[in-house]
Amino acid sequence: MLLKINKLGLAVLILMAQSVLANAQSTEVLCDKKFYKNASEEGVAAAVSEPNAVFLRCPGGETPLHRAVSAQNLFAIRAIVKAGGDVDARTEIGNTPLHFVVLSLEPRPELVDLLVSLGADIHQTGSDNQTPLEMALSWQEVDIAEALRRNGAKY
């Protein structure tokens, strides 16, 4: 059976297909760790403007916020949280974005300050049932432990 589609119907189908493709590309971008290395706040804001984009789950259960924290991109972190990203989202093994600060190759205390200012709970436990402070102390990340204490974490 052949369907007859007029020009308007064809235009609607094309727009719908473009929307689906754009959403898929946005999803790919938000899970690409390289995207966050040099992304501007405006660039991330545009990428997370799709409905539910901030709740996307990448491999390992990471959210776009986890990826932005891993890349240490303060602009991206702000844009994702402003768009509704959960500052206490957990990966499949239970780590929050604050745990990702500790696990970074070069942890930056200002990321702790930013996440806490955006509402992150410093007492959440992650993998190995450790809070970010306990994890920082076990990894001997003194600067991160100090930033967590300065923001109210207790051991």
Side-chain angles (χ1 to χ4, degrees):
M1 182 166 123
L2 291 174
L3 290 175
K4 288 188 174 182
I5 299 177
N6 62 22
K7 288 181 184 177
L8 179 60
L10 182 60
V12 169
L13 285 175
I14 290 171
L15 287 173
M16 288 172 58
Q18 288 174 335
S19 175
V20 168
L21 181 59
N23 193 24
Q25 289 171 336
S26 174
T27 298
E28 286 179 30
V29 164
L30 291 171
C31 283
D32 183 357
K33 292 179 182 178
K34 294 176 188 171
F35 168 70
Y36 297 101
K37 286 294 179 192
N38 298 309
S40 67
E41 191 166 356
E42 295 79 19
V44 175
V48 296
S49 66
E50 292 293 326
N52 299 314
V54 294
F55 303 112
L56 174 71
R57 290 295 172 151
C58 304
E62 295 177 16
T63 64
L65 184 57
H66 287 96
R67 296 291 171 105
V69 170
S70 291
Q72 302 184 348
N73 186 327
L74 283 82
F75 298 118
I77 293 167
R78 282 189 202 98
I80 292 167
V81 173
K82 183 177 180 182
D86 182 1
V87 292
D88 292 320
R90 295 177 177 275
T91 63
E92 289 174 359
I93 62 171
N95 288 329
T96 67
L98 271 176
H99 289 97
F100 270 47
V101 173
V102 178
L103 297 169
S104 297
L105 292 176
E106 296 178 25
R108 294 172 50 196
E110 62 267 27
L111 291 174
V112 170
D113 297 331
L114 176 59
L115 288 168
V116 171
S117 75
L118 294 170
D121 182 350
I122 56 176
H123 301 294
Q124 292 282 335
T125 57
S127 62
D128 297 332
N129 205 32
Q130 292 183 320
T131 65
L133 177 58
E134 292 166 335
M135 185 180 278
L137 292 171
S138 70
W139 285 69
Q140 299 177 1
E141 294 294 349
V142 178
D143 292 341
I144 299 301
E146 179 55 37
L148 288 161
R149 284 186 177 124
R150 187 176 59 246
N151 282 285
K154 306 262 188 265
Y155 184 67

